[in-house]
Amino acid sequence: MNNTKTGLRSGFTLVELLIVIAILGTLAVVVLVALNPAQQLARTRDAGRVSTVTQLGRAAEAFATNRNGVYPAENATWISGTTAAPGLQNSGEIATVPAAIAYSIAGVTACTTNVQNGVCYNATTAGGGGPIVVFARLESQANNSRCTTAGQVAYVVYSSADGRGGTVCAAAEPTPGTQTFLP
């Protein structure tokens, strides 16, 4: 009788199984980091902010066109308006006030200048003198990582001085005048 082991080996060794598990674990981590659900939601919300700010900026331009260059007054109801201080909605420039902007990434807060529903507004003069900026803070890491200077964060800005909207990096909230938009 021959005691040597001959024949085909079936199955995997423990070392082979551990290597396969390590590779799958590494791939899972890479995929989860690349598809971070919180960042995906932040990018989606940022896309909505870009659209909202651009639409409100254009509505503010139309408001000024109909009022000999006078923009909405700086106040907390610049979008909806009041009888004493007409806004974009009650003047007919927009049909409804956009939904409030929500922020969920830790450490990211909304802007603070004449804010209504998370969108901020700043005119050259409090009574609505131009130029104006409409802006909101962007929260996704993808947008904020485009700001390469320390202390700066990303804002989506509509500037009447530039006649356009886009992303701006700034250490403080944007003010009326020419903006430096990211490419």
Side-chain angles (χ1 to χ4, degrees), residues 38-39 45 103-109 137 139 141:
Q39 283 300 319
R45 285 190 298 271
Y103 290 88
S104 64
I105 301 294
V108 178
T109 57
R137 171 84 190 274
E139 72 175 320
Q141 184 60 36

Side-chain angles (χ1 to χ4, degrees), residues 12-28:
F12 298 100
T13 66
L14 180 59
V15 172
E16 291 170 331
L17 287 173
L18 289 175
I19 290 172
V20 169
I21 290 171
I23 290 170
L24 290 175
T26 303
L27 289 173

Side-chain angles (χ1 to χ4, degrees), residues 57-155:
R58 289 183 179 142
E61 292 278 16
F63 182 99
T65 299
N66 292 329
R67 288 169 178 72
N68 297 322
V70 176
Y71 291 90
E74 290 183 333
N75 57 47
T77 60
W78 67 275
I79 299 173
S80 58
T82 63
T83 305
L88 302 178
Q89 183 184 24
N90 69 354
S91 68
E93 303 305 336
I94 60 172
T96 59
V97 175
I101 294 175
Y103 290 88
S104 64
I105 301 294
V108 178
T109 57
C111 50
T112 59
T113 305
N114 301 308
V115 63
Q116 184 174 3
N117 287 7
V119 180
C120 291
Y121 173 73
N122 197 347
T124 302
T125 62
I132 56 102
V133 289
V134 177
F135 59 96
R137 171 84 190 274
L138 296 174
E139 72 175 320
S140 75
Q141 184 60 36
N143 282 316
N144 281 291
S145 66
R146 295 174 65 195
C147 300
T148 56
T149 303
Q152 290 189 340
V153 295
Y155 292 91

